[in-house]
Amino acid sequence: MAWYKVFKEGAIKDGDLFKATVEGKEVLVMKDGGNYFATSCYCTHEDYDLSEGFLDDHQLICPNHFATFNPKDGSVVSPPEGSGDISPLKSYKTKVEDGQVMVEV
Ligand code: FES
């Protein structure tokens, strides 16, 4: 594991999602409530690209069938209706250092 810069602090606004490629992995970085969070980028239901999703009331929503995840740890808040359980997203640590938002991958 190592820390990688993804963008300058302030490059995204609260509620925004950003797909970063770090060490060949696509990572979803988001800002919510002034904090940065990072998870895997693809929905564990049917692999939809979550950078096309949105944040609502501190939850990450997949727009395909509306699975809902917690941005803080990638846990499933609610699976799509009728789908049964789905796996959580992978969660990555973030930090801000010298004005750069960084992700540990
Ligand atoms: S692909 Fe995300 S909810 Fe179905």
Side-chain angles (χ1 to χ4, degrees):
M1 303 283 271
W3 288 98
Y4 297 92
K5 294 176 189 171
V6 285
F7 48 71
K8 284 190 181 160
E9 192 181 8
I12 66 172
K13 24 182 221 328
D14 223 64
D16 281 354
L17 309 173
F18 179 81
K19 189 197 309 192
T21 302
V22 180
E23 284 294 286
K25 276 188 197 145
E26 289 178 318
V27 173
L28 184 69
V29 184
M30 57 211 116
K31 188 174 185 185
D32 186 49
N35 298 307
Y36 295 96
F37 302 105
T39 65
S40 43
C41 198
Y42 293 91
C43 184
T44 53
H45 180 230
E46 286 183 2
D47 276 338
Y48 199 83
D49 183 346
L50 291 171
S51 69
E52 294 179 17
F54 56 95
L55 287 164
D56 183 44
D57 197 21
H58 310 295
Q59 296 179 350
L60 170 63
I61 319 282
C62 175
N64 204 16
H65 312 101
F66 301 104
T68 307
F69 300 94
N70 183 342
K72 291 182 183 169
D73 60 6
S75 60
V76 178
V77 177
S78 60
E81 204 177 312
S83 79
D85 287 346
I86 59 171
S87 302
L89 301 173
K90 188 164 172 40
S91 178
Y92 300 96
K93 288 185 185 161
T94 65
K95 67 179 179 181
V96 179
E97 198 172 274
D98 297 332
Q100 299 282 344
V101 177
M102 303 182 75
V103 177
E104 190 182 38
V105 172

